[in-house]
Amino acid sequence: PAITAVLDGAAYTNDIAQGSVFVVKGTGLSPANTITQATAPTYPTTAGIGGVRITLTAVSGGAVVNAYMVYIYNSGSVNQLAAVLPSNATTGAYDLRVINNGSTSAAFRTNVIVRKPGIVTASSDGAGIAQATIGADFGALIRTSNTGKIGAFNTRPVYPGERVDFWGTGLGADLASDTGGSSGDLTAAGAIRVVLNGVDIVPAYAGRSPGYPGLDEIVIIIPSNVVLDCTVSVQIRAGGVLSNAVTIATAAQGASQCTPANNGGGGGGGSSINPTQSEVNGWISSGSYRAGSVTLGKVTAIATDPTNFLGTTWVTTTTSSFSGSFSRISGVDLSNLLSTFVTPNIGQCAVIPYGQLLQYANLTVTTLDAGASLTSVGPPGTAIAAKSTAGGQISYDAGNLAATYVGAGRYSITGPGGANVGPFSANLDVGTPLVWTNTDAAKTITRSSGLNVTWTGGSSGSIVTITGASFSLNGASVSGSTFICLANRSAGQFTVPASVLNQLPPSSVISAGGFSIVTRGTLAVGLSGNGVRVNASGLDYLTISDNTLTSITPQYQ
C-alpha cells in the first residue's frame, strides 16, 4: 500500500479533527475491484474491512490509535478508504499507516486538531453546492431548480423561513458518537455559527447525527431577509475555524427555480462581464479553461516605512500599471478552482480560508502568446506592455508608468494576436477615482468591533470592493483567511461586520532583539464595475478592466 493523501471527509483538505470522518487516498490500499461499506453504527477497528485497517501512531508516543473503518473503495483508477478518527485521540502529529491483508504502507504524517468543520457538497469534493436538505423530514435537496428527484430526494431552492440541515464532519470530539450515539448540541461548546453571506447565524442544532459516527448535522432556519440568489455563500465556523465555502440556492416562496442576483462586475450600464453558469459547466466538462485579462491599474499604497522596521511611520505611494496575462488551465482540480470561490451579493461579504487556497495541486497552467506587445491609448498618451518570457512564462507589462497615466477617460486597448491568442480590441471607460476617506481608522483594526469604511467619488452605478487578509505564523505553520465585501458606490460607506473580521487571525507579533515586529495584513478599497468582456480566438474568456484602489497594511487585533 502507498498513501498519497490523508484528508478530512467533507472539505477534502489536510488535518483531521477529533471524532471526524477522514479519507485516505493512494494505491494498493485495498483489494482490487472491491467496494465494501461497513454497516453503521458498528464500524470495525482492528478487524477491518476485507482485511484492511488504519492505524495512527502519535509522534510524541503513546498507544496506537485504531480508526473506525467506514468503507474501502478500489475501482478503476480510484483507491480510497474512509474511516472515523476516535474522539479520544489526542491532538498533535501522527504517522498514519494502512494495513492491507498483512502488507503495511509507509507512514504518512498527518495532524489531529480539536475542530475543523467541513460541509459535504453535491460533487463530493468540498466545492460548489452544499449537499443540504430542506425540512425536518429531509425530503428535498437544495438545488437551483425543481429538476425532479435525485435518488429518494426532491430538488428545489430553499425559501425564507424554512429549515435547512447541512451535513458534514469535524465539529469536535463526541465519545458517544463513536459507537452510534450523540452527546447532543455542541453549539455552545464549539462556539458554532453558520455564516450565511457573511452574517452569523446561531444554529438551532449543531452536533452528531445519531446512528452515524462522525457525521455532523447543522440546522438553521433561513432568515426572512435572506438574499434571493442561486449562489448564497455558506460556511460553518467552530472554535474559530472556518469550513470550506459552499453555496445554496434561495428563492421566493413557492418558486420552482432561483434567479441569479446582480453580483456586480459589469460596466457602468450594469451589464455583467461574469461568465454564465452554463459556460463554467462547459469548461469543467472539457477539462480545460483558457482565460486572459488585461488591466489598467492605479494603486495608492499606504504602508509602514520599509526603512523603519518598528512600523512607527507611514509612507504613501501611487503607481499606475498596464499589464496582461493569458493562460490555459487544466487538470482534475479545475472544477474546484472554477466552483469554489464565492462572489458575495452586494451589501454582503464572503470569507475564504487559507487552506482552501492550497487545494489545487492537480492543475497544469500554461501561459499563452498573445503577440509581441499590448497597446493602451488614452488621455495621457500611449503605453506599451511588452512581452516577457522570463522563467519560461509569458507575461505582458508596461513597466514604470507615470502615476498619472491611469485616470478618468476612455482608453483604447489592442492586442495584435500571437501564436495562441487572436487579435482583439476594445474601449475601456475609466471612471472618476474613488477616494477612501478614513484610511487612518484602518491602520489598526480591532476585529471584534467591525470596521466602517467611508468613501467619496467613483462612477455612477459602480461597485465598491473591500478586500482584506490576515495570516498568522507559528513556526513553519501558516493559517489565515481572506475576505471580500461588495457595496454600492452610492452608499458612501460600508461596515465590515465583526462576524467577518473575527474569522481572520490576529496579526502575528514577533519579538526579536528586544523589539516587537508586527506581520501586518492587508486591506484594500477600490472600484469594480468598469470592465468589458472581449472575444478573441484561442480564449474562452477575456476581460479588459481597470483596477483602481487604495491599499493599507493594518495590524489586525
Side-chain angles (χ1 to χ4, degrees):
I3 302 171
T4 57
V6 176
L7 309 168
D8 74 86
Y12 281 79
T13 54
N14 297 324
D15 300 340
I16 313 168
Q18 295 169 318
S20 67
V21 180
F22 67 95
V23 297
V24 180
K25 297 186 176 185
T27 58
L29 304 178
S30 56
N33 304 313
T34 301
I35 303 171
T36 306
Q37 174 139 0
T39 302
T42 309
Y43 293 145
T45 54
T46 54
I49 301 175
V52 178
R53 60 192 181 94
I54 298 172
T55 66
L56 298 96
T57 304
V59 174
S60 60
V64 172
V65 176
N66 293 291
Y68 296 96
M69 298 298 299
V70 178
Y71 68 71
I72 60 174
Y73 185 104
N74 193 340
S75 179
S77 60
V78 178
N79 192 186
Q80 178 171 302
L81 315 176
V84 175
L85 180 70
S87 291
N88 59 5
T90 57
T91 59
Y94 281 79
D95 286 330
L96 184 147
R97 295 175 175 86
V98 171
I99 298 94
N100 179 7
N101 289 285
S103 296
T104 302
S105 72
F108 190 96
R109 184 64 55 86
T110 190
N111 293 308
V112 173
I113 56 180
V114 176
R115 290 184 176 85
K116 187 200 174 191
I119 306 173
V120 175
T121 61
S123 55
S124 298
D125 60 8
I129 302 169
Q131 190 79 328
T133 52
I134 306 172
D137 60 354
F138 316 131
L141 288 167
I142 299 178
R143 293 293 187 270
T144 58
S145 63
N146 182 357
T147 57
K149 286 183 175 290
I150 298 177
F153 297 93
N154 295 314
T155 61
R156 66 168 172 84
V158 66
Y159 309 140
E162 287 192 303
R163 166 178 166 163
V164 169
D165 287 50
F166 296 98
W167 303 90
T169 193
L171 291 185
D174 185 341
L175 285 171
S177 169
D178 291 359
T179 54
S182 173
S183 296
D185 195 359
L186 300 176
T187 299
I192 299 168
R193 298 292 183 270
V194 177
V195 187
L196 187 72
N197 258 1
V199 178
D200 274 12
I201 297 175
V202 179
Y205 173 83
R208 294 293 195 275
S209 179
Y212 295 92
L215 177 64
D216 292 329
E217 179 181 0
I218 303 96
V219 183
I220 66 168
I221 304 300
I222 298 296
S224 59
N225 63 345
V226 67
V227 173
L228 303 181
D229 188 18
C230 295
T231 55
V232 174
S233 66
V234 179
Q235 289 177 280
I236 308 296
R237 188 171 69 249
V241 180
L242 270 174
S243 74
N244 49 320
V246 302
T247 66
I248 59 172
T250 58
Q253 182 69 38
S256 62
Q257 64 183 35
C258 61
T259 300
N262 176 18
N263 286 335
S271 61
S272 177
I273 63 172
N274 294 331
T276 65
Q277 187 61 50
S278 62
E279 286 179 307
V280 174
N281 293 342
W283 300 332
I284 293 173
S285 177
S286 70
S288 174
Y289 172 57
R290 302 167 303 171
S293 65
V294 179
T295 306
L296 282 172
K298 186 169 187 177
V299 176
T300 298
I302 304 172
T304 53
D305 186 347
T307 65
N308 183 344
F309 67 89
L310 295 180
T312 54
T313 59
W314 294 78
V315 174
T316 300
T317 57
T318 300
T319 57
S320 288
S321 63
F322 173 47
S323 61
S325 63
F326 310 87
S327 61
R328 177 182 183 272
I329 306 173
S330 59
V332 296
D333 279 341
L334 183 62
S335 61
N336 288 343
L337 178 69
L338 295 178
S339 302
T340 297
F341 292 103
V342 178
T343 302
N345 294 295
I346 296 172
Q348 301 287 352
C349 304
V351 180
I352 303 171
Y354 175 67
Q356 188 169 305
L357 301 174
L358 303 178
Q359 64 182 26
Y360 310 115
N362 299 309
L363 286 176
T364 299
V365 179
T366 304
T367 54
L368 303 178
D369 187 339
S373 62
L374 310 178
T375 302
S376 167
V377 179
T382 301
I384 303 295
K387 179 172 70 174
S388 168
T389 57
Q393 304 296 309
I394 301 172
S395 61
Y396 295 82
D397 197 330
N400 297 321
L401 290 177
T404 56
Y405 182 78
V406 177
R410 171 163 288 189
Y411 292 74
S412 175
I413 311 294
T414 57
N420 308 116
V421 178
F424 59 86
S425 64
N427 290 324
L428 177 67
D429 291 319
V430 177
T432 304
L434 186 85
V435 179
W436 180 4
T437 55
N438 65 335
T439 55
D440 284 348
K443 291 178 178 177
T444 300
I445 298 173
T446 302
R447 296 170 301 142
S448 60
S449 300
L451 176 68
N452 182 252
V453 176
T454 60
W455 58 81
T456 59
S459 302
S460 175
S462 58
I463 306 300
V464 174
T465 62
I466 304 168
T467 58
S470 179
F471 298 94
S472 178
L473 306 177
N474 183 9
S477 176
V478 179
S479 62
S481 294
T482 65
F483 73 86
I484 178 172
C485 306
L486 300 183
N488 284 314
R489 191 269 329 164
S490 57
Q493 64 86 35
F494 182 86
T495 297
V496 183
S499 60
V500 169
L501 295 177
N502 280 332
Q503 297 175 52
L504 276 62
S507 301
S508 297
V509 180
I510 301 171
S511 297
F515 299 103
S516 294
I517 303 172
V518 178
T519 57
R520 295 179 175 273
T522 63
L523 186 71
V525 178
L527 283 179
S528 173
N530 293 322
V532 290
R533 182 171 174 177
V534 182
N535 292 323
S537 60
L539 292 178
D540 301 306
Y541 183 64
L542 170 61
T543 58
I544 299 177
S545 60
D546 70 287
N547 179 17
T548 55
L549 57 82
T550 300
S551 68
I552 198 167
T553 55
Q555 178 180 1
Y556 287 90
Q557 296 183 330

